[in-house]
Coordinates of all heavy atoms in Angstrom, one line a residue:
K39 N -29.1 -14.4 11.4 CA -30.4 -14.3 11.9 C -30.4 -14.2 13.4 O -29.8 -15.1 14.1 CB -31.2 -15.5 11.4 CG -31.6 -15.5 10.0 CD -32.5 -16.6 9.6 CE -32.8 -16.6 8.1 NZ -33.7 -17.6 7.7
R40 N -30.9 -13.2 13.9 CA -30.9 -13.0 15.4 C -32.3 -12.6 15.8 O -32.9 -11.6 15.3 CB -29.9 -11.9 15.8 CG -28.5 -12.1 15.4 CD -27.5 -11.4 16.2 NE -26.2 -11.5 15.6 CZ -25.4 -12.5 15.8 NH1 -25.7 -13.5 16.5 NH2 -24.2 -12.5 15.3
G41 N -32.9 -13.4 16.6 CA -34.3 -13.2 17.0 C -35.3 -13.3 15.9 O -36.3 -12.6 15.8
G42 N -34.9 -14.2 14.9 CA -35.8 -14.4 13.8 C -35.7 -13.4 12.7 O -36.3 -13.4 11.6
K43 N -34.8 -12.4 12.9 CA -34.7 -11.3 11.9 C -33.3 -11.4 11.3 O -32.3 -11.5 11.9 CB -34.8 -9.9 12.6 CG -34.6 -8.8 11.7 CD -34.7 -7.5 12.5 CE -34.3 -6.3 11.6 NZ -34.1 -5.1 12.4
A44 N -33.3 -11.4 9.9 CA -32.0 -11.4 9.2 C -31.4 -10.0 9.1 O -32.1 -9.1 8.9 CB -32.2 -12.0 7.8
Q45 N -30.1 -10.0 9.3 CA -29.4 -8.7 9.2 C -28.0 -8.9 8.7 O -27.4 -10.0 8.8 CB -29.3 -7.9 10.5 CG -28.5 -8.6 11.6 CD -28.7 -7.9 12.9 OE1 -29.7 -7.5 13.3 NE2 -27.5 -7.8 13.6
R46 N -27.4 -7.9 8.0 CA -26.0 -8.0 7.5 C -25.1 -7.6 8.6 O -25.3 -6.5 9.3 CB -25.9 -7.1 6.3 CG -26.6 -7.7 5.1 CD -26.7 -6.7 4.0 NE -25.4 -6.1 3.6 CZ -24.7 -6.5 2.6 NH1 -25.0 -7.5 1.8 NH2 -23.5 -5.9 2.3
E47 N -24.0 -8.3 8.8 CA -23.0 -8.0 9.8 C -21.7 -8.0 9.1 O -21.4 -8.7 8.2 CB -23.0 -9.0 10.9 CG -24.3 -9.0 11.7 CD -24.3 -9.9 12.9 OE1 -23.4 -10.7 13.1 OE2 -25.3 -9.8 13.7
S48 N -20.8 -7.1 9.6 CA -19.5 -6.9 9.1 C -18.5 -7.6 10.1 O -18.4 -7.2 11.2 CB -19.2 -5.4 9.0 OG -17.9 -5.1 8.7
L49 N -17.7 -8.5 9.5 CA -16.6 -9.1 10.3 C -15.3 -8.5 9.8 O -15.0 -8.7 8.6 CB -16.6 -10.6 10.2 CG -15.5 -11.4 10.8 CD1 -15.5 -11.2 12.3 CD2 -15.5 -12.9 10.5
I50 N -14.6 -7.9 10.7 CA -13.3 -7.3 10.3 C -12.2 -8.0 11.0 O -12.3 -8.1 12.3 CB -13.3 -5.8 10.6 CG1 -14.4 -5.1 9.8 CG2 -11.9 -5.2 10.2 CD1 -14.6 -3.6 10.2

Side-chain angles (χ1 to χ4, degrees):
K39 288 187 179 180
R40 302 201 189 278
K43 179 183 171 190
Q45 63 186 41
R46 290 170 49 101
E47 294 184 352
S48 170
L49 176 62
I50 301 171

